[in-house]
Amino acid sequence: MIDFDAARADTPGAASTVFLDSAGASLLPNPVLDEVFGHLRREAEVGGYRAQEERAEDLRQGYSTFARLLGAQPNEVAFTDSATRSWLSLVDAVPLGTGDEVLISEVEYGANAVALLRLAERTGATIRLVASDETGQLSLDALRAALSERVKLVSLVHMPTNSGLVNPVREVVDAAHEVGALVLLDACQSVGQLPVRVDELGVDLLSGTGRKWLRGPRGTGFLVVREAVADQLVPRLIDHSAAPWVSRDRYQLRDDARRHELWEYGVAERLGLIRAAEYAAALGIEAIAKEVDARARFLRDGLAELPGVRLRDLGRQHSGIVTFTVDGLGPDQVRDALRAAGITLTVSPGTSTLIDMTARGLSAVVRASPHYFVGFDELTTFLAAVGALPRS
Ligand SMILES: Cc1ncc(COP(=O)(O)O)c(C=O)c1O
């Protein structure tokens, strides 16, 4: 069980707002803040290179920390500056050509979808949509019908950005592997919220971010490339860290996931990200998942009872992302009125998951995403504030 008072004491931001935006960018805990500020201060004292050398072992250990968190080996982990950077680097390295197919689901994230459209233009590969089932999660029947030896990649969003859904991963992986397709899991919203282990889920590739449920700094991301497929994925553009320059006309591409990294990065942010992962692991991801689930259920039950409030969540299994609209008020108006009442949450626009939101006739939804450091009394305050919104 998580010590709620200790979690609050570690979260300075929680004192000034009811914080319901961990799906956007969560509140950093003190140990992460101290790590980032401490390293920046050290850089100012001795210069960035020496400061980095002093933390070389901690930076190296970061790969093991993430490997433990994600059920991977340290050589299967790489760090980037965002989930999208991770996703782009991975997808761009998948060998694709005319006649090849990439499958996506109806809740594909906007950045991924646009990248795939461009990739299809460039490579001649075709993107095919796998329909959702009646609950809104990816339809396994539709997936099986779409799979053939032409499919080289299945892109699966674990938890979409704005529909409260958790997609089934293991079943998708098993079906995709039967035809030899790779599975790329967008775990941007799930790592730090749920146990996400590539060894159990069987995914080949994974992308994630630091700033959301892991409570790390902005500008941080990570990826996993399973050892068995690392060779197949050659990034198009590499630097002398991904591929050391060994003689005038030759480079030697790294044989691990770090072929997806660049030499330069924000060391303070990286250290903060590693600290955030250690912090989450010390609390226990299972314990975090329980706390998030209890809060999301409380919100869904409470919102369902409010007249004129419509829950917009999909799926059989629900995540910590609770989405809704209020009759007679635009999502932006709801967000602004709640912000004036001391509540922080965000609006997720239709363009974030264009296919799904268009099909449901939604231009945007209000998104409330409570982490374990939010109290149930605060959730009650939030529900009362939604109930009291002035309607036209
Ligand atoms: C499901 C999903 N995938 C990918 C992303 C992109 O993450 P980033 O902004 O770190 O690139 C987001 C961001 O909200 C997301 O919700």
Side-chain angles (χ1 to χ4, degrees), residues 23-24 81-87 107-112 157-162 186-190 207-212 218-221 321 348 352-353 367:
D81 53 12
S82 73
T84 299
R85 183 73 69 199
S86 297
W87 203 89
V107 292
E108 186 58 88
Y109 185 68
N112 306 352
V157 180
H158 197 182
M159 288 182 185
T161 204
N162 56 10
D186 176 339
C188 185
Q189 293 287 2
S190 52
S207 59
T209 184
R211 74 176 184 279
K212 297 180 188 287
R218 293 200 68 172
T220 57
I321 299 175
S348 189
S352 290
T353 54
R367 182 176 69 176

Side-chain angles (χ1 to χ4, degrees), residues 81 107 189 325-327 344:
D81 53 12
V107 292
Q189 293 287 2
T325 54
V326 180
D327 291 351
T344 301

